[in-house]
Amino acid sequence: MAELTTTKLNPESHLLLDQPILRLPVELARKNFKLAALHIEHDRKALTGSLKSTANDSLSGKKTIAETLESLDNMINRMKNLKRKTEAFHEEEKNIHRQQRKRLEHLHDIYQIPSLADVKYDEWSRLRLDRLLVDYLLRNGYGESARALAKEKGVEDLVDVDVFIQCHQVEESLRRGSTQECLAWCAEHREMTRKTSNTLEFELRLQQFIELRRKGSLLEARLHAAKYITGNSETNGPEFQRAAGLLAWGPSVRVEPYRTMYSQSRWDFLANLFVRTHHELFALPERPLLHIALSAGLSALKTPSCHSRYASSSSNASSSTTTVCPICSTELNELARSLRHVQHNKSSVEHDPVVLPNGRVYGRERLLEMSSKVGLPVGKVKDPTTSEVYDASVIRKVFFS
């Protein structure tokens, strides 16, 4: 019964890590629908106005037949352009639905796996690891490598390569000192960001103001502030006051906070703010999914003794044993040092536990057997971890309550 409980697979716990692969397509579909609706509404109003104006002018005789036909041709061309746009939006929607279906099928597969020992679980886990590696590469700017890996492993519909590549391109443009790409992104997603309280667009306009002030274009800076910054004085009061202070302090100022505002490090702040805003908008975690999975796995395996000075042969040269604990291994020991360990409600012990004077607990039979193999005389035992030698008479039997 204990073995069945240990190997039984709980799909719900696995899906906690996989929520973003379902959320992102929903956000992309919402964005696609809103953009399509925006274009349709914009052209509808324009066509309705043009049609009404053309009809009135034709009836009143203000336009000749040739001019009326030309206006009708222009409206037809506009409708054709709208049709092409809506077809593109429809194709995008079909791609999103295809990806969503593939992802649902992938997550549904785990419900068909009864046990962790099943071969199908290894295959499913390997596929998820491929997804996590692609996600990690994308978040670190290796877009082409991520695309190649996704194609090789056949997980193209399970990852969002284009979304992250676009995000990285805008991020890099900010680090290079350009706000145009990010402002275009803000304009494209203004309907989605309107309900949130992010300050990305305001910070971008503020940075443009700073650059104008840095160049000495005081008049242009004042006009820019009146157009883009003054209207946000109520929602961004402190920042607005600092921006006003820049009119009096030039780029050579050493007084805070103006010195920091003129600093080139502000571009890094804008890049990080954009990435944070982008991920919040599309319901993406800030950390790579690989880091989350690795942290959870390491914490689940970690015990209080993993970083003890008596922990294992990887941290104690005098130890005569080689631990089978993965956290105590040379590769993972330092990586898991800052992580917390989980509380284990169940433990496995020897059937004949004894305690040594140093407080360490071992099985009596195995302890005596190991001491004999290393050549100790009868009546002596050796702690396999610390290499301390004791008289067998000093070991005490342990009773668990």
Short mmCIF file of all heavy atoms in Angstrom, two decimals, residues 7 53 92 129 139 141 148-149 168 195 197 208 220 253 263 288 310 314 317 321 348 391:
data_model
loop_
_atom_site.label_atom_id
_atom_site.label_comp_id
_atom_site.label_asym_id
_atom_site.label_seq_id
_atom_site.Cartn_x
_atom_site.Cartn_y
_atom_site.Cartn_z
N THR A 7 3.98 5.92 -5.60
CA THR A 7 4.10 6.00 -7.05
C THR A 7 2.84 6.51 -7.73
O THR A 7 2.84 6.70 -8.95
CB THR A 7 4.45 4.62 -7.63
OG1 THR A 7 3.40 3.69 -7.29
CG2 THR A 7 5.77 4.12 -7.08
N SER A 53 -21.76 61.09 -46.89
CA SER A 53 -21.31 62.33 -47.51
C SER A 53 -21.42 62.26 -49.03
O SER A 53 -21.89 63.21 -49.69
CB SER A 53 -19.87 62.63 -47.11
OG SER A 53 -19.37 63.77 -47.79
N GLU A 92 -4.80 34.12 -37.81
CA GLU A 92 -4.13 34.15 -36.52
C GLU A 92 -4.96 33.45 -35.45
O GLU A 92 -4.44 32.71 -34.62
CB GLU A 92 -3.85 35.60 -36.12
CG GLU A 92 -3.18 35.78 -34.76
CD GLU A 92 -1.78 35.21 -34.73
OE1 GLU A 92 -1.17 35.02 -35.81
OE2 GLU A 92 -1.28 34.96 -33.61
N LEU A 129 10.19 18.75 -20.12
CA LEU A 129 11.53 19.29 -19.96
C LEU A 129 11.98 20.03 -21.21
O LEU A 129 12.60 21.09 -21.13
CB LEU A 129 12.52 18.16 -19.64
CG LEU A 129 13.99 18.58 -19.48
CD1 LEU A 129 14.15 19.60 -18.36
CD2 LEU A 129 14.86 17.35 -19.22
N ARG A 139 13.66 33.28 -22.68
CA ARG A 139 13.74 34.34 -21.68
C ARG A 139 15.14 34.93 -21.57
O ARG A 139 15.30 36.03 -21.05
CB ARG A 139 13.29 33.80 -20.32
CG ARG A 139 11.80 33.52 -20.24
CD ARG A 139 11.46 32.81 -18.95
NE ARG A 139 10.04 32.53 -18.84
CZ ARG A 139 9.14 33.32 -18.27
NH1 ARG A 139 9.53 34.47 -17.75
NH2 ARG A 139 7.88 32.97 -18.20
N GLY A 141 17.07 35.40 -24.26
CA GLY A 141 17.42 36.06 -25.51
C GLY A 141 17.96 35.17 -26.61
O GLY A 141 18.38 35.67 -27.65
N ALA A 148 15.03 26.52 -32.97
CA ALA A 148 15.61 25.28 -33.51
C ALA A 148 15.34 24.09 -32.59
O ALA A 148 15.01 22.99 -33.05
CB ALA A 148 17.11 25.46 -33.72
N LEU A 149 15.47 24.30 -31.28
CA LEU A 149 15.21 23.23 -30.33
C LEU A 149 13.74 22.82 -30.35
O LEU A 149 13.41 21.62 -30.31
CB LEU A 149 15.61 23.67 -28.92
CG LEU A 149 15.37 22.64 -27.79
CD1 LEU A 149 16.18 21.38 -28.04
CD2 LEU A 149 15.75 23.25 -26.44
N HIS A 168 11.85 40.29 -26.49
CA HIS A 168 13.30 40.50 -26.39
C HIS A 168 13.75 41.62 -27.32
O HIS A 168 14.65 42.40 -26.97
CB HIS A 168 14.03 39.20 -26.74
CG HIS A 168 15.51 39.30 -26.61
ND1 HIS A 168 16.15 39.47 -25.41
CD2 HIS A 168 16.49 39.28 -27.56
CE1 HIS A 168 17.46 39.55 -25.61
NE2 HIS A 168 17.69 39.43 -26.90
N LYS A 195 -6.82 49.02 -18.35
CA LYS A 195 -7.43 48.64 -17.08
C LYS A 195 -6.39 48.36 -16.00
O LYS A 195 -6.73 48.17 -14.84
CB LYS A 195 -8.30 47.40 -17.26
CG LYS A 195 -9.50 47.64 -18.17
CD LYS A 195 -10.35 46.39 -18.30
CE LYS A 195 -11.54 46.62 -19.23
NZ LYS A 195 -12.38 45.41 -19.38
N SER A 197 -2.71 49.31 -13.86
CA SER A 197 -2.13 50.54 -13.29
C SER A 197 -0.64 50.68 -13.60
O SER A 197 0.10 51.27 -12.83
CB SER A 197 -2.34 50.55 -11.77
OG SER A 197 -1.75 49.40 -11.18
N GLN A 208 11.85 60.39 -22.87
CA GLN A 208 11.99 61.27 -24.03
C GLN A 208 12.22 62.71 -23.59
O GLN A 208 13.03 63.43 -24.18
CB GLN A 208 10.74 61.17 -24.91
CG GLN A 208 10.60 59.86 -25.66
CD GLN A 208 9.38 59.84 -26.56
OE1 GLN A 208 8.32 60.37 -26.19
NE2 GLN A 208 9.50 59.23 -27.73
N GLU A 220 11.61 72.48 -26.74
CA GLU A 220 11.00 71.21 -27.16
C GLU A 220 10.65 70.35 -25.95
O GLU A 220 9.61 69.67 -25.95
CB GLU A 220 11.95 70.45 -28.08
CG GLU A 220 12.16 71.11 -29.44
CD GLU A 220 13.06 70.29 -30.33
OE1 GLU A 220 13.05 69.04 -30.19
OE2 GLU A 220 13.77 70.87 -31.15
N VAL A 253 24.17 67.78 -13.22
CA VAL A 253 23.76 67.90 -11.83
C VAL A 253 24.27 66.72 -11.01
O VAL A 253 24.37 65.59 -11.51
CB VAL A 253 22.21 68.00 -11.75
CG1 VAL A 253 21.55 66.71 -12.24
CG2 VAL A 253 21.77 68.31 -10.32
N SER A 263 21.01 59.44 -15.45
CA SER A 263 21.93 58.31 -15.58
C SER A 263 21.51 57.38 -16.72
O SER A 263 20.32 57.19 -16.98
CB SER A 263 22.00 57.53 -14.27
OG SER A 263 22.74 56.34 -14.43
N PRO A 288 11.92 32.09 -15.12
CA PRO A 288 11.79 30.97 -16.06
C PRO A 288 11.14 29.76 -15.38
O PRO A 288 11.39 29.48 -14.21
CB PRO A 288 13.25 30.67 -16.45
CG PRO A 288 13.99 31.93 -16.18
CD PRO A 288 13.31 32.56 -15.00
N TYR A 310 28.80 17.38 8.42
CA TYR A 310 28.91 15.92 8.38
C TYR A 310 28.02 15.33 7.29
O TYR A 310 27.70 14.17 7.29
CB TYR A 310 28.48 15.31 9.72
CG TYR A 310 29.30 15.78 10.89
CD1 TYR A 310 28.69 16.41 11.96
CD2 TYR A 310 30.67 15.60 10.91
CE1 TYR A 310 29.42 16.85 13.04
CE2 TYR A 310 31.42 16.04 11.98
CZ TYR A 310 30.79 16.66 13.05
OH TYR A 310 31.53 17.08 14.12
N SER A 314 30.72 14.68 -0.31
CA SER A 314 30.96 15.86 -1.14
C SER A 314 31.38 17.06 -0.32
O SER A 314 32.04 17.96 -0.81
CB SER A 314 29.70 16.20 -1.96
OG SER A 314 28.65 16.56 -1.10
N ALA A 317 35.60 15.43 3.57
CA ALA A 317 36.63 14.58 2.96
C ALA A 317 36.90 13.33 3.77
O ALA A 317 37.38 12.32 3.24
CB ALA A 317 37.92 15.38 2.78
N THR A 321 31.84 7.02 3.15
CA THR A 321 30.70 6.56 2.36
C THR A 321 30.42 7.54 1.24
O THR A 321 30.84 8.69 1.26
CB THR A 321 29.43 6.46 3.23
OG1 THR A 321 29.09 7.76 3.71
CG2 THR A 321 29.65 5.53 4.40
N SER A 348 11.85 6.88 6.71
CA SER A 348 12.18 5.45 6.65
C SER A 348 13.44 5.22 7.48
O SER A 348 14.45 5.92 7.29
CB SER A 348 12.43 5.02 5.20
OG SER A 348 11.27 5.25 4.42
N ASP A 391 33.69 2.54 21.19
CA ASP A 391 33.48 1.19 21.71
C ASP A 391 32.04 0.79 21.43
O ASP A 391 31.12 1.60 21.57
CB ASP A 391 33.75 1.13 23.21
CG ASP A 391 35.24 1.30 23.53
OD1 ASP A 391 36.07 0.85 22.70
OD2 ASP A 391 35.57 1.89 24.58
#
